[in-house]
Amino acid sequence: MENIKPKINIWGILAIGVVTIIVAIIISTKLLSNKKNETLNNNITENNQVSYYDKSRSINSTYTFDEATSKFAFKATMQEYNKQSTFDTLIFEEKDNLKLSRASRTISNNDDFNIEFYYKYNQTISFNYDFYQSDSNELNDFVEDFKKLRDVNRIIELNNDYVYIEYKLMNFETDYCFAKKIGNRVFYATTTINNDDKENEYKLALIGFQELFNSLKNDNGKEPYLQDKILNVPMVLNKKIKNHNLIDAIITLIKQRNSFDLYSQYKNGEVHLNDGKVKTSFYIYYDAEKYYKVIKWDKDITSNIKNKDFYYGITDGKLTQVFFIYPDIEKTKKSIDEYLSVFLD
């Protein structure tokens, strides 16, 4: 019996194949389009909404720079030898002779800051205090741990309220540590005295330590965090810092007394931003009208933006701001708007 081979309709198969490919392309294009729109919409939502550290707190719509830095909630850093993984929140409220000096983001954790406070005893004597959270829940435990990690000269005073310790960090400096419980945790602060009158000044430093701890209290769950208050300090061009994580440092005028910046006395405060990706130094100077007026600007970029070296002055109605942007915008061939858009909305 003769085998009958089926006839294959090549053209029909090709036609079906072409139709299938076209349908697949249409479906894929639609899916990609939807995905692109979804990503775009997500980016718009993310980029146009300021990201707070804790937006559940009672955050005002606006603060002056002084208001933001004079009272705030914060989580202090722990030194590298500490084992605690949880951070207690405290509230600081400044006094006439005690202010925030600097808050700088730590590398290891976005929750905590290296916090420095400035205490002015009189016109010639002042102290900087670095503030930390310890692992200890009791003062005696803190003292024993501290002895293992530092070259302790003497325990100046240990009582039920606090401990005051003298120790050596470097041969030519004498350091002092003051520790006290706030709530159930021992917190401590340190300072360095490197002049000839240390026998008198360590007693004055103790007064400052006590002032500092009297300015701190347990969290109430309502006071906004420092970085969230800074986000709501008005800026020129109706801009805002996009995200609390961009804030690398918050510095008050106090810290600028030894600055190499010739115009530092005209600043009220500054905030440094860093997105971790762009190799750019981006500083914002607040309440900068005096600062703006003393700078001899080289040229006008626009009608309200002036430039001198790495400094850019912007006026906007009643607001005046100065930005420091490095590297030089002109050398990178980028506009100031491109730099602003990385950090600000």
Side-chain angles (χ1 to χ4, degrees):
M1 186 175 185
E2 184 180 356
N3 290 330
I4 301 174
K5 295 181 180 180
K7 293 181 179 180
I8 300 174
N9 190 340
I10 299 297
W11 296 109
I13 292 174
L14 288 173
I16 292 171
V18 170
V19 171
T20 303
I21 291 170
I22 292 171
V23 170
I25 290 171
I26 292 171
I27 293 172
S28 298
T29 303
K30 188 171 183 180
L31 288 173
L32 287 172
S33 177
N34 289 341
K35 184 68 176 177
K36 184 178 180 181
N37 288 335
E38 180 183 343
T39 304
L40 181 61
N41 289 335
N42 287 340
N43 286 340
I44 289 173
T45 302
E46 180 183 349
N47 291 338
N48 288 344
Q49 184 174 350
V50 173
S51 176
Y52 294 97
Y53 176 66
D54 185 355
K55 63 181 180 181
S56 68
R57 297 190 171 228
S58 305
I59 306 174
N60 293 344
S61 58
T62 59
Y63 297 95
T64 64
F65 186 85
D66 285 342
E67 287 172 340
T69 57
S70 62
K71 184 181 180 182
F72 53 84
F74 72 100
K75 292 183 179 181
T77 188
M78 297 184 185
Q79 291 189 325
E80 66 280 359
Y81 52 81
N82 289 351
K83 302 181 183 67
Q84 278 287 347
S85 58
T86 58
F87 298 85
D88 293 353
T89 296
L90 296 177
I91 296 173
F92 168 75
E93 187 167 7
E94 74 173 32
K95 297 183 177 180
D96 289 340
N97 56 348
L98 180 73
K99 300 180 184 297
L100 172 72
S101 176
R102 181 187 183 102
S104 53
R105 182 83 64 180
T106 61
I107 298 173
S108 59
N109 194 298
N110 281 331
D111 283 356
D112 58 325
F113 280 86
N114 290 316
I115 298 284
E116 299 174 36
F117 296 102
Y118 175 81
Y119 172 71
K120 183 177 181 180
Y121 180 77
N122 57 30
Q123 293 298 321
T124 58
I125 300 175
S126 61
F127 302 93
N128 269 320
Y129 298 125
D130 295 302
F131 187 81
Y132 304 100
Q133 174 175 324
S134 82
D135 284 327
S136 306
N137 299 108
E138 300 298 335
L139 282 174
N140 288 326
D141 294 336
F142 172 81
V143 172
E144 292 306 309
D145 288 340
F146 196 82
K147 285 180 178 179
K148 295 174 184 176
L149 298 161
R150 293 289 184 264
D151 183 11
V152 173
N153 294 343
R154 57 176 172 150
I155 306 296
I156 299 172
E157 189 173 358
L158 174 60
N159 54 45
N160 292 329
D161 189 38
Y162 65 84
V163 61
Y164 193 29
I165 304 171
E166 180 184 279
Y167 67 102
K168 283 283 186 182
L169 201 58
M170 296 182 182
N171 291 334
F172 55 87
E173 294 178 336
T174 304
D175 290 79
Y176 294 88
C177 171
F178 179 95
K180 184 176 181 177
K181 284 184 70 173
I182 302 177
N184 296 319
R185 179 88 64 202
V186 175
F187 292 86
Y188 66 105
T190 63
T191 194
T192 299
I193 298 175
N194 56 9
N195 56 39
D196 297 331
D197 196 23
K198 65 181 181 182
E199 287 303 317
N200 179 49
E201 287 203 10
Y202 87 83
K203 298 176 183 178
L204 303 181
L206 175 60
I207 297 173
F209 278 124
Q210 292 172 320
E211 287 278 357
L212 170 58
F213 276 76
N214 287 336
S215 299
L216 299 166
K217 60 183 179 181
N218 283 315
D219 183 33
N220 59 11
K222 296 179 181 179
E223 180 64 33
Y225 284 92
L226 172 61
Q227 57 268 46
D228 287 345
K229 282 190 164 185
I230 287 294
L231 292 180
N232 283 7
V233 177
M235 294 176 60
V236 292
L237 309 178
N238 201 29
K239 296 286 187 181
K240 275 196 171 187
I241 300 169
K242 288 182 179 180
N243 192 309
H244 70 91
N245 280 328
L246 293 172
I247 297 176
D248 205 41
I250 300 164
I251 305 171
T252 69
L253 176 61
I254 294 298
K255 189 66 176 178
Q256 305 305 310
R257 63 195 182 283
N258 296 322
S259 174
F260 292 108
D261 184 350
L262 297 176
Y263 305 115
S264 63
Q265 69 269 29
Y266 298 100
K267 302 175 190 174
N268 193 37
E270 62 189 73
V271 171
H272 299 181
L273 304 182
N274 185 347
D275 72 343
K277 299 175 183 177
V278 180
K279 294 180 180 179
T280 303
S281 296
F282 191 96
Y283 304 163
I284 305 169
Y285 301 126
Y286 291 84
D287 299 335
E289 185 174 357
K290 291 180 181 178
Y291 190 30
Y292 179 91
K293 287 180 178 178
V294 296
I295 296 176
K296 296 180 180 179
W297 302 103
D298 290 337
K299 63 179 179 179
D300 294 344
I301 294 179
T302 67
S303 60
N304 65 337
I305 302 178
K306 298 181 182 296
N307 171 237
K308 178 181 177 59
D309 300 324
F310 308 114
Y311 293 87
Y312 298 84
I314 302 179
T315 56
D316 179 23
K318 294 182 179 180
L319 278 179
T320 300
Q321 211 130 36
V322 176
F323 296 91
F324 174 87
I325 304 174
Y326 181 86
D328 190 351
I329 286 179
E330 292 189 359
K331 289 183 179 179
T332 60
K333 305 300 181 183
K334 291 184 179 180
S335 69
I336 188 171
D337 287 336
E338 288 180 83
Y339 277 98
L340 294 179
S341 65
V342 172
F343 300 99
L344 311 176
D345 264 339

